Amino acid sequence: MKQRLQQTVAVMIMLLLSATAHAVTLQEAKAEGLVGEQRECFVGLVVDNAPAEVVALVREVNEQRRQRYEQIARENGITMTQVTALAYEQAVQATQAGHYIQLPNGSWVRK
């Protein structure tokens, strides 16, 4: 019984570690060319076949950005469009060489 419990715990730990080991950060996804900065200053998928964890990351980052942009707009009495336009300019400047940005026509280019 005790040995079986130890084996079960060991398997659970291995599963948790493997899930953590495969988690991708925004910077890693950008460096791999999977995501880039969209014109609206949200993160967009550059490739159609991005792994599910990257898709989930994009959703999470975009929700956090949307909430922050709404807060900034509210606090400054400006529109969300104005906030995202300013944020895009800053994002382009901050984007590392080799990472993707979206052009006005919707196409992706490496900076």
Side-chain angles (χ1 to χ4, degrees):
M1 175 78 167
K2 184 177 181 181
Q3 183 179 11
R4 183 174 170 110
L5 178 60
Q6 289 174 334
Q7 290 174 340
T8 302
V9 170
V11 169
M12 288 175 59
I13 291 172
M14 285 179 14
L15 289 173
L16 288 172
L17 290 176
S18 67
T20 303
H22 291 105
V24 64
T25 67
L26 180 59
Q27 288 306 314
E28 290 168 340
K30 285 182 175 184
E32 291 176 24
L34 301 173
V35 301
E37 291 291 335
Q38 291 180 316
R39 288 286 307 161
E40 301 84 21
C41 208
F42 290 97
V43 179
L45 295 170
V46 175
V47 297
D48 293 330
N49 59 345
E53 65 184 356
V54 173
V55 174
L57 173 69
V58 166
R59 285 188 191 127
E60 180 182 329
V61 168
N62 285 342
E63 179 58 23
Q64 291 172 1
R65 286 186 180 190
R66 184 190 60 73
Q67 290 175 3
R68 182 66 180 129
Y69 297 157
E70 287 175 350
Q71 178 186 4
I72 292 169
R74 196 171 42 253
E75 290 173 354
N76 292 282
I78 59 177
T79 67
M80 179 102 151
T81 302
Q82 291 171 304
V83 173
T84 58
L86 293 170
Y88 178 74
E89 291 175 20
Q90 294 175 350
V92 168
Q93 291 175 359
T95 296
Q96 295 178 12
H99 290 191
Y100 282 95
I101 56 172
Q102 191 178 46
L103 298 178
N105 67 5
S107 64
W108 293 100
V109 295
R110 288 190 186 264
K111 180 177 175 188

